[in-house]
Amino acid sequence: MPAHQRLSVFIIDDDGMTRSLLRVIIQGDHYDVVGDAGTAEAARLRLLSLRADIICLDVVMPDGNGLELLNWISEKQPAAAVLMVTASTDRSTVEQSLRNGARGYIVKPFNPGTVMNTLDKIAAQIHAQRIAGKA
């Protein structure tokens, strides 16, 4: 992926260590981590003025539900691709996330390879959509 096609990533997770770990894994040649939030409310506030190509989203947060936030993101930033990164493994949560527009679902604890492989698949979809839109 050429450098001019770097994608911006925003991380939403209530655990500071998880946010830091994701930032270290993701930030690099292909992705810019443009911000993060530890609560649903902080995420909403930051995403009102910040655009991201990809949003990594936890399901369980102290002040909200990631599935509700997913719907809000779909409404406010319809071009953003959402990647669920969560410890929630119940089938209904996974299915509801994907049905409501999440492009991927990673279960914690995760490894760097899984995160990057999933992000790269989402990035390929984004780039294909952009090329198709310009055609």
Side-chain angles (χ1 to χ4, degrees), residues 15-68:
D15 183 74
M17 185 177 290
T18 298
R19 290 194 312 273
S20 295
L21 181 58
L22 283 170
R23 182 180 290 272
V24 167
I25 292 169
I26 295 168
Q27 183 68 43
D29 293 340
H30 303 299
Y31 303 100
D32 283 319
V33 177
V34 295
D36 63 57
T39 65
E41 184 59 27
R44 284 186 187 95
L45 290 172
R46 290 190 182 114
L47 290 172
L48 285 174
S49 61
L50 177 83
R51 295 282 176 237
D53 296 306
I54 301 171
I55 299 172
C56 296
L57 175 60
D58 191 9
V59 172
V60 179
M61 289 179 276
D63 67 336
N65 178 313
L67 296 173
E68 293 169 2

Side-chain angles (χ1 to χ4, degrees), residues 37-101:
T39 65
E41 184 59 27
R44 284 186 187 95
L45 290 172
R46 290 190 182 114
L47 290 172
L48 285 174
S49 61
L50 177 83
R51 295 282 176 237
D53 296 306
I54 301 171
I55 299 172
C56 296
L57 175 60
D58 191 9
V59 172
V60 179
M61 289 179 276
D63 67 336
N65 178 313
L67 296 173
E68 293 169 2
L69 192 52
L70 172 61
N71 293 333
W72 183 90
I73 291 167
S74 296
E75 181 183 310
K76 300 294 184 187
Q77 290 203 30
V82 177
L83 170 60
M84 305 305 288
V85 182
T86 180
S88 298
T89 59
D90 65 281
R91 186 181 180 113
S92 66
T93 300
V94 175
E95 289 175 352
Q96 187 177 355
S97 296
L98 297 174
R99 189 172 48 248
N100 291 352

